[in-house]
Amino acid sequence: MPPLIGPVSLVAVASGPGLVSYNTLVVLGGVATVGFAAGVVGSLALLRKRPLVGDAAAHATLAGVAAAFLATGRRDLPALLGGALVAAVAALAVLVLIRRVARTRDDAATAVVIGVSFGIGLALLAGITARGIPGSGGLEQFLLGHTAALTAGDARLLAAVSLAAVAIVALGFKEAVVLCFDPQFAAATGWPVGLLDLVLVALVAVMVVVGLPAAGAVLVTALVVIPPVAARQWTDRAGPLLVTAGVIGLTAAVTGVVVTASRPGLSTGPVIVLAAALICGVSFLVAPRRGVIAQWLARVRRERRWARGDLSAWDLADADEAVPLPLPAVSHVAAVPLRGADGK
Amino acid sequence: MTLAASMPLVEFHDVTVAYGRRPVLWHVDLAIDRPCLFGVIGPNGAGKSTLLKAALGLVPVVGGYTRFFGEPLARVRGRVGYVPQRETVDWDFPVSVHDVVLMGTYGRLGWFRRPGGRERDLAHACLERVGLADLAGRQIGRLSGGQQQRVFLARALAQEADIYLFDEPMAGVDVRSQERIFAVLAELRDAGRLVIVVHHDLRTAAEWFDRVALVDMRLVAAGPTAEVLTPENLDRTYAGRAELLEELGRAVAERGRTS
Amino acid sequence: MASDASLTVHAWAMATAAMVSASCGLVGGLLVVRRMSLLGDAIAHAVLPGIAVAVLAGGSLGGPAVFAGAVAAALATVWLTQAIHAGVGLAEDAGAGVVFTSLFALGVVIVTLAASRIDLDPECVLFGILELAAFDRVRVGGLLVPRAFVTAVVVFLGVAGGLAASWRWQVFTAFDPAAARAAGIPVGLVTSLLLAATAVAAVAGFEAVGAVLVVAMLVVPAATAELLVQRMHWLVVVAVGVAIAAACGGYALAWRWNTSAAGMIAVVLGGCYAVAVLMAPGDGILARAIARLRLEWRVAREDCLARIWRACEAEGRDAAHVGDPQTWLERMAGLWLERRGVVRRKNGCVTLSDHGRREAEMVVRSHRLWEAWLGRHAELPIDHLHPPAEWLEHHVGAAMRDQIEAELSAGQVDPHGRTIPPEAAG
């Protein structure tokens, strides 16, 4: 786990000694916690084969933020995030409704909800801005994320909710793994699969909302998607996967806060996502066994042995045992199902 | 523990299952009243797996009900073990062989309790019974098909159930694993358990099962293997008469949409 | 005079929005039927770094360099996703999630860092610059036309031309890629062409409504059209129509309410979709509710008649005592039939008119024919025959009844030994 001291001292260097206020440290800690929790919760979404379930919810949050501002007339983070949560849940509910009553394909339904809900948010936001409603400045920071404006109180709230989410996952870890690995078995053993799925989706929605101030509505999905994908490269066990994803999310979040602290024009979201993407790319390449390089080396070694007539890589008594990785064949673009699809 | 023979261990009463509006299993009546190795046999798409899933409440039942030990499933869940088809799970999932077997104990553990030493020992013992103890730490994707099926079998053993439902445990499994799996199933039967197996291979069915049911969208016949697997019954199961039922179901589904 | 000028500005912006929207709707039809809606979303996000780099290298918005950069970025997205899938076995949806968010983030960072040097900033990346489009004009044949409109027209013609040229192949590939490949169609090329068209439409859309809302323009018109029509070419025609109407309507509303045109276009598109879900003929919520109600009403009427007929049969005369109806709908049906004179009450007994009797006989005939047929052919046990027949009797026309009777060949008696009434004359 990368020590927190490093980035913190970086902040000190970047902004000059004496300028690292208590507030900055609390915000850093809060956003780091959000990054960790997003990685943990996102891992479960990935294992449940619904990595992008939060995307529709994420795009809808903007409308919730704008509506909450119109309702309260203040830029009060808890209220705005409350509105965002309502909107996120509403978007997911509409998605479920469309699946029930319309014969629109799942992916198209998701795209419809993403596009239209974001459009509502943008129209509300632009309307508020155009009317110059007092106190509305800075609402657009929820688009791409901006941590500089966060107060220590805000950060504590984000951290508390994130820790609660992590605690729920820790408590129900056993149930979550059975659900994700073998839902049929889980149902037959008497676990309420529908309820567990609902809790999982709710956790993702909460993480999307909590991640909003740091990563913004457009990119917050990445906070839930990329760290688990990167972490999967490094481990073959579910528990370590969750922790690794959390640490990667934390690292990316801290990087985002530190870098944007020194470049005021830059939004936090894109930087966090780029940091996570970098870690992910490196993981794809160099991870042991699953990494591209490791697989390439293994193949070269195997082929060299075969060329020497040494077939010991194959245990002939149990020939089909030595399959290294169950790689599905490259399917054609036409079959690329993105997002949603929710395991039907 | 031996099971009392006074009431049927499993009873299907007038079970009808439809996917959407289209019925796939018509009015099945079947009771099994003593521990045995019971095969559910029929052609592809005959509704064999659906029958098991209906019994376990995994697919919605249009009519009828299933009882285990004379009780609805919810009250005796801990005594019923289920092994789904191997293809239904993602074998690239990040869990070890031991983790999967441990899942068999989760039903008894209940909410939020972590498996302890007793559960781990049990899981290990179950892995030994299927001959996979030395692979306990391996990621499940790095096993052969037969070994994967044995992992599922070990998980079922860890459930310590009285009735076991297996969905195609022999599909895509090498001969060595098949024999091993069958040996464990026979052990279960000898220990007084009822073992119900969905199976598609007629040749092995005759030699493995004590009793069988022939199913093709409806129950064709059920009883001791030798009495049921007659040329006449097999003809009625495999001659495709159920096509009429299938057509009928489709006609109803379509009329319901447009009318 | 001033208002005239502003009217011209708005008219041009609206026309631009309509052209852009039409291009997106055109591409979207194929994306939606090929289940590539979210790939469209991914491409719409991922073209940003391509555009940013092209602009940074000196290309102008709407220029060929920008389109080339966008197409390259779109193809890179798909290629990267597949490479990750093949390389490390990651599911394609997760892979695409990683790739397009990363590329979009990269684009935003580039745009932010270079904001002082290029006429793009994160604001217009997200909101689009439709409102400003009318001010940058070029002279076309003596007329001052906004550059963005000219670009939009060129894009529309290009996309329409490309898709029209490959239309048969596109439809075949969308319907059954494997069969298309077997038939010798260059499926990879056809798909690449679609992806390129998507990227080009996305660039035009990006300028107009911003990167995020392009997905609404791409998918919603086609999703709406899909609910309304069955044939592929009509789907595209309707999608383009919806796209144009929503663009104009959304722009007008945004103008009136002083808000973002991009946002309002998406909102109006959402409204179109909602109306289609509700009102679509055949499959809409309303149509299905009506059909269901009519079916239940007919079943209730038929059950009511059949019950009276059976009671009469049991008592062996024309009038009988009949128990209370089982559902409120059947009660209503009874009252309705009475009012129509089909059912008559006589001192506590109920009797049927000639017409009612004929109708009831057909229902009972259906029921008993089914029982006989099911008993003979489906080999269901005799005590299990009633429920399926009860369920099937309302779904049988005269033709089907005749067919069953012909198959049964022998006997006018059902498995319970009751007579099956003959088919009504005429």
Side-chain angles (χ1 to χ4, degrees), chain C residues 192-235:
Chain C
S192 300
L193 190 65
L194 177 61
L195 292 175
T198 308
V200 169
V203 175
F206 163 85
E207 270 193 58
V209 299
V212 183
L213 287 180
V214 171
V215 66
M217 277 193 167
L218 281 173
V219 177
V220 185
T224 308
E226 209 190 13
L227 297 174
L228 300 174
V229 294
Q230 310 285 336
R231 303 284 301 276
M232 190 62 211
H233 56 270
W234 280 118
L235 192 156

Side-chain angles (χ1 to χ4, degrees), chain C residues 7-35:
Chain C
L7 205 64
T8 320
V9 167
H10 284 302
W12 277 123
M14 196 189 269
T16 309
M19 276 329 282
V20 168
S21 193
S23 309
C24 290
L26 196 58
V27 182
L30 281 166
L31 290 179
V32 166
V33 297
R34 288 188 69 171
R35 295 173 194 277

Side-chain angles (χ1 to χ4, degrees), chain C residues 230-280:
Chain C
Q230 310 285 336
R231 303 284 301 276
M232 190 62 211
H233 56 270
W234 280 118
L235 192 156
V236 171
V237 170
V238 174
V240 170
V242 168
I244 292 175
C248 296
Y251 191 92
L253 283 179
W255 181 17
R256 191 183 163 84
W257 291 338
N258 189 17
T259 181
S260 147
M264 282 317 293
I265 290 173
V267 172
V268 171
L269 279 169
C272 293
Y273 178 75
V275 169
V277 168
L278 206 62
M279 315 273 273

Side-chain angles (χ1 to χ4, degrees), chain C residues 1-367:
Chain C
M1 198 58 206
S3 85
D4 259 12
S6 108
L7 205 64
T8 320
V9 167
H10 284 302
W12 277 123
M14 196 189 269
T16 309
M19 276 329 282
V20 168
S21 193
S23 309
C24 290
L26 196 58
V27 182
L30 281 166
L31 290 179
V32 166
V33 297
R34 288 188 69 171
R35 295 173 194 277
M36 288 163 68
S37 305
L38 292 166
L39 192 63
D41 186 28
I43 287 175
H45 282 83
V47 292
L48 181 59
I51 296 173
V53 169
V55 171
L56 211 54
S60 65
L61 274 181
V66 164
F67 282 100
V71 171
L75 294 179
T77 307
V78 176
W79 179 81
L80 261 178
T81 304
Q82 295 204 340
I84 292 173
H85 176 63
V88 301
L90 181 67
E92 296 198 18
D93 57 346
V98 171
V99 171
F100 87 81
T101 51
S102 304
L103 285 178
F104 186 71
L106 181 67
V108 172
V109 169
I110 295 175
V111 168
T112 313
L113 293 180
S116 55
R117 281 185 284 152
I118 58 179
D119 58 346
L120 251 187
D121 62 47
E123 189 99 323
C124 55
V125 165
L126 292 168
F127 287 81
I129 46 171
L130 196 51
E131 287 88 345
L132 307 176
F135 295 107
D136 175 12
R137 299 193 194 188
V138 291
R139 189 169 288 278
V140 178
L143 194 66
L144 265 182
V145 179
R147 182 196 52 76
F149 180 75
V150 178
T151 312
V153 171
V154 172
V155 165
F156 181 78
L157 293 178
V159 167
L163 292 186
S166 62
W167 186 247
R168 279 166 193 281
W169 287 2
Q170 292 286 1
V171 173
F172 196 176
T173 308
F175 176 65
D176 187 347
R181 195 184 307 252
I185 292 174
V187 170
L189 188 70
V190 168
T191 305
S192 300
L193 190 65
L194 177 61
L195 292 175
T198 308
V200 169
V203 175
F206 163 85
E207 270 193 58
V209 299
V212 183
L213 287 180
V214 171
V215 66
M217 277 193 167
L218 281 173
V219 177
V220 185
T224 308
E226 209 190 13
L227 297 174
L228 300 174
V229 294
Q230 310 285 336
R231 303 284 301 276
M232 190 62 211
H233 56 270
W234 280 118
L235 192 156
V236 171
V237 170
V238 174
V240 170
V242 168
I244 292 175
C248 296
Y251 191 92
L253 283 179
W255 181 17
R256 191 183 163 84
W257 291 338
N258 189 17
T259 181
S260 147
M264 282 317 293
I265 290 173
V267 172
V268 171
L269 279 169
C272 293
Y273 178 75
V275 169
V277 168
L278 206 62
M279 315 273 273
D283 260 333
I285 293 177
L286 223 59
R288 267 188 299 180
I290 291 171
R292 200 196 151 104
L293 212 64
R294 280 170 66 170
L295 177 69
E296 277 180 15
W297 178 239
R298 183 165 63 81
V299 168
R301 259 170 20 225
E302 290 180 356
D303 281 348
C304 185
L305 289 173
R307 230 150 42 86
I308 297 170
W309 193 91
R310 285 196 180 99
C312 291
E313 183 193 41
E315 294 185 21
R317 57 204 182 100
D318 280 351
H321 297 281
V322 177
D324 279 332
Q326 279 149 1
T327 63
W328 69 269
L329 201 63
E330 216 176 298
R331 184 184 300 273
M332 298 273 295
L335 292 174
W336 186 82
L337 289 166
E338 241 176 274
R339 279 193 58 157
R340 302 282 300 253
V342 181
V343 172
R344 295 191 201 103
R345 273 179 197 284
K346 244 187 260 165
N347 17 327
C349 285
V350 184
T351 173
L352 295 171
S353 72
D354 286 349
H355 174 72
R357 194 174 308 115
R358 265 203 308 280
E359 217 173 292
E361 271 168 8
M362 286 313 101
V363 177
V364 174
R365 176 175 155 77
S366 293
H367 183 96

Side-chain angles (χ1 to χ4, degrees), chain B residues 190-204:
Chain B
D190 297 341
R193 308 294 201 272
L194 168 60
V195 181
I196 302 177
V197 180
V198 166
H199 193 66
H200 67 280
D201 184 5
L202 273 174
R203 279 173 308 142
T204 45

Side-chain angles (χ1 to χ4, degrees), chain A residues 109-208:
Chain A
T110 311
V112 168
V113 171
I114 288 176
V116 175
S117 67
F118 193 76
I120 295 172
L122 218 52
L124 283 175
L125 192 60
I128 292 171
T129 312
R131 280 158 187 74
I133 297 176
S136 67
L139 272 188
E140 74 283 348
Q141 290 174 352
F142 284 95
L143 280 167
L144 290 171
H146 211 75
T147 48
L150 286 179
T151 67
D154 296 341
R156 273 194 214 100
L157 173 76
L158 299 182
V161 176
S162 303
L163 286 177
V166 172
I168 291 173
V169 173
L171 191 67
F173 177 68
K174 178 188 79 186
E175 287 74 14
V177 171
V178 180
L179 169 77
C180 296
F181 172 62
D182 193 347
Q184 287 216 341
F185 175 80
T189 327
W191 300 105
V193 168
L195 180 71
L196 287 170
D197 267 336
L198 201 67
V199 171
L200 179 54
V201 172
L203 279 176
V204 173
V206 166
M207 281 326 299
V208 159

Side-chain angles (χ1 to χ4, degrees), chain A residues 47 49 170-175 177-178 180-182 184-185 187-192 196 232 236-238 241 289-290 317-318 320-321 323-326, chain B residues 53 56 58 77 82 84 89-90 92-96 99-100 103-104 106-107 109-115 138-140 142 144-145 147 152 155 159 176:
Chain A
L47 292 181
K49 312 265 176 293
L171 191 67
F173 177 68
K174 178 188 79 186
E175 287 74 14
V177 171
V178 180
C180 296
F181 172 62
D182 193 347
Q184 287 216 341
F185 175 80
T189 327
W191 300 105
L196 287 170
R232 183 66 187 88
D236 266 340
R237 302 286 297 274
L241 171 71
R289 209 177 74 74
R290 288 181 77 95
D318 205 342
D320 55 352
E321 182 193 323
V323 183
L325 253 185
Chain B
K53 287 180 187 163
L56 292 162
L58 298 180
R77 237 183 240 283
Y82 172 53
V89 304
D90 166 22
D92 192 31
F93 200 89
V95 283
S96 69
D99 292 338
V100 173
M103 287 178 193
Y106 287 3
L109 274 174
W111 284 97
F112 307 136
R113 279 182 51 210
R114 289 295 164 81
R138 216 183 250 201
Q139 196 266 329
I140 49 167
R142 302 168 69 203
S144 73
Q147 289 169 334
F152 264 15
R155 181 177 69 176
Q159 283 185 275
R176 216 176 63 165

Side-chain angles (χ1 to χ4, degrees), chain B residues 144-227:
Chain B
S144 73
Q147 289 169 334
Q148 288 175 347
Q149 193 64 60
R150 275 143 71 193
V151 174
F152 264 15
L153 178 59
R155 181 177 69 176
L157 294 177
Q159 283 185 275
E160 297 186 314
D162 292 317
I163 295 178
Y164 285 104
L165 308 176
F166 288 87
D167 198 347
E168 297 273 9
M170 306 299 188
V173 167
D174 57 286
V175 177
R176 216 176 63 165
S177 283
Q178 279 200 7
E179 278 162 8
R180 180 114 208 176
I181 292 168
F182 173 67
V184 176
L185 297 185
E187 270 173 38
L188 282 173
R189 182 254 331 261
D190 297 341
R193 308 294 201 272
L194 168 60
V195 181
I196 302 177
V197 180
V198 166
H199 193 66
H200 67 280
D201 184 5
L202 273 174
R203 279 173 308 142
T204 45
E207 117 194 31
W208 283 346
F209 298 120
D210 309 321
R211 305 170 79 81
V212 294
L214 283 172
V215 174
D216 186 22
M217 295 189 78
R218 81 278 188 212
L219 183 69
V220 177
T225 307
E227 290 170 29

